[in-house]
Structures are given as C-alpha cells and as structure tokens.
Amino acid sequence: MVAVGPTAAHPLDALVADEIRSAVAILRDSERVGDDVLFAMVTLDEPSRDTVAGHKSGDPVDRRIRLTVLPGPEASVVEAVVSLASGEIVQWTTHPGMRPALLFDDSYRAILALRDSPEWQEAMRRRGITDFEKVQIDPWPTGNFGDPLEEGRRIARCLSYYRAEPSDNGYARPVEGVLATVDAARGEVLEVRDLGVVPLPSDSGSYLPEDHEPLRAGLLPLEIVQPEGPSFALDGNLLTWQHWTMRVAMEPLEGLVLHGIGYHDGTLRTVLHRASISEMVVPYGDPGPIHGWKNAFDVGEWGLGRMANSLSLGCDCLGEIAYLDAVFCGEHGTPYVIENAVCIHEEDYGILWKHNDLHTSRTEVRRSRRLVVSSIATVGNYEYGFYWYFYLDGTIQHEVKLTGIMSTQALRPGEEPRYGTRVAPDLAAPFHQHLFCARLDLAVDGPVNEAYEVGFEPAPPGEDNQWGNAFRQRVERLESELAAQRDVDPASSRHWRFVNPTVTNGLGTPVAYKLLPGATPTMLARPESSIGQRAGFARHNLWVTPYAPEERRAAGDYPNQHVGGDGLLRWTAADRSLVGTELVAWYSFGVTHSPRPEDWPVMPVEYCGFHLMPVGFFDRNPTLDLPPSAEHCR
Ligand SMILES: [Cu+2]
C-alpha cells in the first residue's frame, strides 16, 4: 500500500485526512453553519492550469479545500472554499434549489421511514409479505417531472425487493407495482403507489458458487509473476512508467481523476492536463409508471468515488499491484478512507509490432505492455470498472467494464415485455443505456490546441479517378462550440484530431493526438424529454469547449432533481470560439443495453470506451528502441 504524504508538496497531491479535518474545523469555527450541517462533499479545490504549470519543487502550496454542505433539510446547497494556509473562508456560494448527490444519510432515512410506513406495509401484506426486514428498499434519485411533491425537497423514489434470506439476490424478486416517494432529508413518506399485485418471480437468481455445484474443473493455475517487481514508480500520487508520467487522484463524484498526463521525450511533453469521467447516466426505455422515471446519473447523483470498492489482490487485479487509498469526508465532517480504491499494475498485451523478413528469415517482434490505472464502483445493482491504459507507443485508452446485476421488473403470468427482455421465466429487464461523458482537458504539447474532424469520402469520378477507387481525407477545423457538436460515423471512419498548431514534428507537420471513437450510441430518449434536457451531454458524442475551470461536469454540478439544460447544453449555447485558445474535449460514449438471458443473474463484463493516439506527435514509431524480450523470445 502506498501512503500519501503528510503535507502537500505539490498542488495536486491527494487530499489527506488532516486537511479534511482542518477544513471542516475552519468552517465550523466560522459559525456560518449550524451543528447539524451535513457535508455532502469535501474535495481539493483544484488549482488552475497556470498554478500547476508555475509550481516549482519546494514552493509553498496554499491548499484550498471546497466543502459542499447542506445547512438544512431543504433543497439548498452551500459551497465554501477555505484556505488551509490562512485558515479563512475565501469563497461562499449558495445554490438555492440545488441538490447534491444522494446522501448516505438521506438514503438510510428514506429506507427507515418507508419500512415504518403503514401504506407501504399494507402493500407488502397484500403480497403476503409480513416480515418487512426481508424487504430490500432501494432509494433512487428521482429526476424532475414537475411533480409538486418534488418541489423544495430532497426526494428519493424507492423500489422494493424481497429477500427470503439475507444472501438472496434481491433483484430476482422485485416487489412489482409498488413505488414510494420519500422526502429523504426529513424522513417523511410522501406517497405510496400500489398499481396491483404481481406474483414474486420464481427464479432465485443466485450467482453464489454454493448454488452452482459441482463447479467446473480444468482451469489450471495462471500466475502473473514479475520477479524484479513492476516497472512503474509511485511517489505519493505521482506515477511514472517508461516515458509516461501522471498524478492519480480519487474524487468523490468523478472517481478516478488523472492529472498532468505527459510523455518524456527528451523533455516532458504534455498530452492531457486532466482526464476523468465527468458524468454518466443510465436512462431506461420503459414508459410505464413504475420504471419510466428511472435514469440514474451515477456521477452527479451517486458518485463513482464515493461508491468505489476496496479492491483485493488476485480477484480484482492480478500480478504485482500497487494500490492507492481514497480519502473522503463523511457526511458529519469526519474523514474516512476507502482502502485500495485504485489499482495500478502492468499487463502484457500481446504483440506491439512484428515483421518477418521473408528474404532473410529474420523476425523482429516486440511485446506490447500497458500500464493500467483502474477503480471499480458499485452503484446499486450495477458495477462499473474504469480502466485507463497507457501503452509504450504513446496510445492512451479508456475502457469501462460494465457488470453487476440488471435492474429488473416482475412479469404477470403470460406477460411479454414490450420495452425489455424476458431474462428469467417471470422476470424482465427493461431496455436502457449506459452513457458516459469523458472530460479531456487537452494539452497536446502545450496549452493551446485546435480541434479537427477527420473523415474519408469517395473522390468524384473523373479523369483523375479513372478506376473509381480514389478516396480522400477531409480534415475540417471545428471553429466554434456548436460546430463541434458531432456524432460518430463509422462508415466514413470519422474521428477527431487535437492539434498544437505551434509545434511541428520532424516532418514539418503540427503535432497531434486523435480521439478514436468506439462503436457507440447517442441518447435515444427524445431531446425535449426530462432526461433529454437533464442529460443533454449524451445527445452528441463529441463536444469541445474553451477551457473554463468551473465547467467541470457535463450535466452541471447539481443534476440531482435538476430541471435540465445545464452543463454542456448551457455552456455551448454561447457558441464560443475554439480557435487560439485552450480546449476541453468531451466525449460521450456508452452502450445501449438490450438485456440478454445470458446477462442474468449477473452480467458478464461488457466493454466500451475510446482511444487517444498520437498522430505525428512523434516522427516515427517511438518504440524502435524497445529491446526484444530475450527471456521468452528465442
Ligand atoms: Cu445495462
């Protein structure tokens, strides 16, 4: 395990528990908040690009901590920034009508209140359930549907599942037809709807090994051994490997955040100033009253950092592993640690390049190896693994691994789902999407970059295309924010290129990185719908904005119960110029999940993501100096 240092030596050092304690104490001592204030989030107030660039080793660091607090049970958030150096509050902003990510405290309050509710208990009894402790209650953020119950309150909508035994898979037995709306901040049940009894499904949905014996045999041990240790080095949160360097942090909402990603090539050449998953949303496609409102923003309503797992060696990660802990603040102002929240290791990745010279029979082949920085979040029924890969040839990849248990609905006898798939005899999983938005704070060989769209098209027939085979590349600069709202187009091999126009390579062309999209949808919900407004970032795959440090999260800072229109939709409406400035690229990607029987009862990993690849960033293959792996390659 790697410990973070006791005092910040670098502006981007990970937050430590003592800093959280100091920040909370400064806020409390100011007497601007009551004793019962709740701390939704305490984070490093990240220094600007300029502050980081200007920092010299040994310089004093004025750490500023941002505290997002709830003064009371109403819908109102205060953000305070404190300076640890001066011990003072340096910024105080009230956000009336905004809600933070669903508090753990609020969730517990909602569960306890609902379990005590006579209407809900009556609904359970109608289904033959009398032991209410056997009901799993899942509170969800509610969205915004203009319901008067939602106004001015922090609301959770609750679904119920039956577990005869504590080890049961609750999602196998949804208590269908019952939906409760709870004022989670006040622990007050506002409404219990019962749309009629549907029998509990028959399949137990167990994924536990003891229920699947005999377990298969034949897989012999596979050990990853690095007898001399891994090839990366970790100094605090500064990670270096081969020519790569970066700082690794865990943020409560975005989870993994990588800063200062650069490549040593004689000098340190930056690629990204900051990279993270800024938001994600899971809109469900079922229009019915029980499931039609479901659409979880798993960053802004839950928090991929807050929900991060403690990873375990040999299970989540295999080989020579280094872990980093996440240090967060509890809702009552006490710091806590998620141990082993970040896994760092190396993976063999097949061949990097090869040529067999048929004239001489000499073969040259090099192994590809990648550095992996990952974390896994459990958000209710789903698991999301976030993997950043760094390759020897300058490629960066982000991959999301989707697994866990699908959100389910019980079927009436003979009912076939219209907006979902039957995955067990009387159980369906609705169609839904998982849509992520990566925020890529670009710094390709320096701060000022330009964005281009690149695609291919057939050349017109004519004298210079006599066989009709010609096709040409179209490269167009994206001049402004509205022009930079773009979608994937695999037929034209469309991708996007981020260029530093002031730096040229040895061939005289400007250095660049390209964003290579994967197969990905955009949001299927209608743009004018509630979710279409609230998750506007998912209407397009690419967005580019001029760098603005406060523009951090694709759906805005407070998507929970938000009416919509915030984030990328609001910022890009100004159609700011993207020329001659520092840029942020936002890439929305994901999957449309058509549930399969094979995804039940637990879903084998599905993958999605993107690559960032050097394009003329180097003058040639930068791995010609890579030695053959002599120990294996004879
Ligand atoms: Cu899914």
Side-chain angles (χ1 to χ4, degrees):
M1 191 185 310
V2 180
V4 290
T7 53
H10 188 276
L12 290 170
D13 275 352
L15 201 59
V16 299
D18 278 347
E19 293 177 317
I20 292 174
R21 283 190 199 97
S22 300
V24 168
I26 292 166
L27 186 72
R28 287 199 191 280
D29 290 350
S30 76
E31 299 185 352
R32 294 183 73 170
V33 295
D35 289 343
D36 54 353
V37 67
L38 288 176
F39 294 80
M41 191 164 74
V42 176
T43 58
L44 180 65
D45 186 49
E46 287 185 20
S48 68
R49 277 181 171 221
D50 291 345
T51 304
V52 176
H55 176 79
K56 304 264 186 311
S57 179
D59 284 355
V61 177
D62 176 17
R63 295 278 270 186
R64 295 188 170 207
I65 312 295
R66 180 174 294 267
L67 302 103
T68 306
V69 302
L70 293 159
E74 49 288 325
S76 184
V77 174
V78 173
E79 281 184 52
V81 178
V82 302
S83 158
L84 294 187
S86 71
E88 289 175 351
I89 297 172
V90 295
Q91 193 183 314
W92 182 273
T93 315
T94 305
H95 300 279
M98 296 295 123
R99 286 86 165 173
L102 191 62
L103 296 186
F104 296 132
D105 259 31
D106 282 8
S107 297
Y108 295 139
R109 248 192 304 275
I111 292 167
L112 295 179
L114 189 56
R115 202 165 265 144
D116 275 349
S117 148
E119 297 101 303
W120 178 84
Q121 291 182 353
E122 188 51 38
M124 294 302 115
R125 278 193 207 98
R126 275 196 282 274
R127 290 157 174 82
I129 299 170
T130 51
D131 184 349
F132 306 128
E133 292 299 319
K134 290 186 172 175
V135 181
Q136 165 193 331
I137 295 173
D138 278 16
W140 283 59
T142 62
N144 185 313
F145 296 96
D147 185 335
L149 289 180
E150 297 163 353
E151 277 174 30
R153 299 174 185 269
R154 305 204 301 267
I155 298 289
R157 283 208 167 85
C158 296
L159 295 169
S160 305
Y161 303 87
Y162 184 69
R163 289 179 183 238
E165 299 296 329
S167 61
D168 279 3
N169 174 1
Y171 301 107
R173 300 212 165 101
V175 181
E176 199 62 42
V178 181
L179 179 63
T181 304
V182 184
D183 182 327
R186 297 184 177 89
E188 199 179 305
V189 177
L190 303 172
E191 183 186 70
V192 178
R193 299 181 72 185
D194 186 347
L195 301 181
V197 175
V198 180
L200 289 175
S202 53
D203 178 54
S204 77
S206 173
Y207 53 91
L208 303 176
E210 55 268 33
D211 295 326
H212 295 279
E213 290 174 339
L215 299 179
R216 70 169 73 178
L219 279 182
L220 302 178
L222 191 160
E223 302 289 344
I224 307 294
V225 178
Q226 293 186 278
E228 297 175 46
S231 315
F232 58 81
L234 202 48
D235 175 10
N237 68 346
L238 177 64
L239 175 61
T240 51
W241 177 75
Q242 287 292 297
H243 299 299
W244 287 108
T245 180
M246 68 203 72
R247 286 184 180 272
V248 182
M250 279 293 274
E251 203 265 353
L253 298 185
E254 293 169 286
L256 264 180
V257 177
L258 303 183
H259 285 101
I261 298 170
Y263 190 96
H264 279 282
D265 184 22
T267 58
L268 177 61
R269 303 175 66 192
T270 57
V271 178
L272 295 169
H273 177 70
R274 187 182 189 279
S276 68
I277 296 297
S278 89
E279 193 49 87
M280 66 165 288
V281 66
V282 188
Y284 284 79
D286 183 300
I290 299 294
H291 301 280
W293 56 274
K294 279 161 55 175
N295 41 63
F297 288 69
D298 288 340
V299 173
E301 293 180 336
W302 286 107
L304 301 175
R306 293 200 316 155
M307 311 308 279
N309 294 182
S310 282
L311 302 172
S312 62
L313 185 61
C315 304
D316 297 300
C317 358
L318 196 59
E320 287 288 327
I321 309 294
Y323 292 106
L324 288 173
D325 297 340
V327 182
F328 296 143
C329 183
E331 288 162 11
H332 297 273
T334 307
Y336 67 98
V337 176
I338 301 177
E339 292 184 346
N340 297 357
V342 181
C343 168
I344 299 167
H345 73 290
E346 290 173 284
E347 284 178 359
D348 180 274
Y349 196 61
I351 61 166
L352 174 63
W353 57 263
K354 173 170 184 168
H355 185 58
N356 177 10
D357 184 332
L358 297 176
H359 298 275
T360 64
S361 297
R362 177 168 174 172
T363 296
E364 292 292 336
V365 57
R366 299 295 181 272
R367 299 295 302 172
S368 178
R369 196 188 290 195
R370 63 188 186 184
L371 174 69
V372 187
V373 183
S374 66
S375 83
I376 301 175
T378 301
V379 190
N381 49 302
Y382 262 110
E383 263 76 12
Y384 299 103
F386 298 91
Y387 291 73
W388 289 97
Y389 302 117
F390 296 87
Y391 294 84
L392 295 164
D393 67 350
T395 296
I396 301 170
Q397 180 186 359
H398 185 73
E399 182 174 73
V400 184
K401 299 185 185 183
L402 299 91
T403 179
I405 304 177
M406 294 179 296
S407 190
T408 50
Q409 59 192 101
L411 297 172
R412 294 169 197 280
E415 180 184 357
E416 283 298 329
R418 289 177 60 208
Y419 290 91
T421 310
R422 198 150 56 92
V423 296
D426 32 23
L427 188 77
F431 302 140
H432 59 278
Q433 297 187 288
H434 302 262
L435 299 166
F436 306 85
C437 186
R439 180 181 180 280
L440 304 168
D441 190 345
L442 301 168
V444 177
D445 232 349
V448 175
N449 288 176
E450 293 177 339
Y452 289 80
E453 179 164 290
V454 182
F456 288 86
E457 60 186 11
E463 276 185 19
D464 60 350
N465 185 17
Q466 56 180 313
W467 295 297
N469 65 302
F471 57 92
R472 58 195 181 190
Q473 183 171 263
R474 281 175 65 106
V475 182
E476 283 181 47
R477 190 166 72 175
L478 302 172
E479 305 274 336
S480 72
E481 289 178 297
L482 293 178
Q485 295 174 359
R486 306 295 297 161
D487 298 332
V488 297
D489 178 20
S492 71
S493 297
R494 179 178 294 170
H495 59 276
W496 298 286
R497 193 181 285 176
F498 307 115
V499 175
N500 188 325
T502 63
V503 180
T504 50
N505 58 29
L507 304 171
T509 48
V511 299
Y513 258 74
K514 73 173 175 183
L515 194 166
L516 185 64
T520 183
T522 48
M523 184 167 49
L524 290 160
R526 302 183 67 85
E528 68 275 15
S529 66
S530 171
I531 190 59
Q533 293 290 326
R534 295 175 61 227
F537 67 87
R539 291 184 197 174
H540 296 291
N541 297 117
L542 182 78
W543 306 68
V544 187
T545 57
Y547 168 70
E550 69 282 6
E551 294 177 4
R552 187 68 67 73
R553 303 239 318 282
D557 287 339
Y558 297 104
N560 191 359
Q561 287 185 251
H562 199 282
V563 66
D566 202 4
L568 284 168
L569 281 183
R570 180 166 65 84
W571 307 324
T572 59
D575 200 21
R576 292 168 292 188
S577 169
L578 301 176
V579 179
T581 188
E582 302 175 13
L583 298 182
V584 178
W586 310 72
Y587 179 59
S588 298
F589 65 98
V591 298
T592 300
H593 191 169
S594 172
R596 305 175 299 157
E598 289 87 345
D599 293 334
W600 183 254
V602 64
M603 178 186 160
V605 165
E606 184 165 356
Y607 304 86
C608 60
F610 61 93
H611 288 75
L612 292 164
M613 300 174 74
V615 178
F617 191 80
F618 305 108
D619 295 346
R620 60 181 62 202
N621 181 341
T623 64
L624 298 179
D625 63 343
L626 195 65
S629 27
E631 66 271 31
H632 297 301
C633 187
R634 294 182 227 283

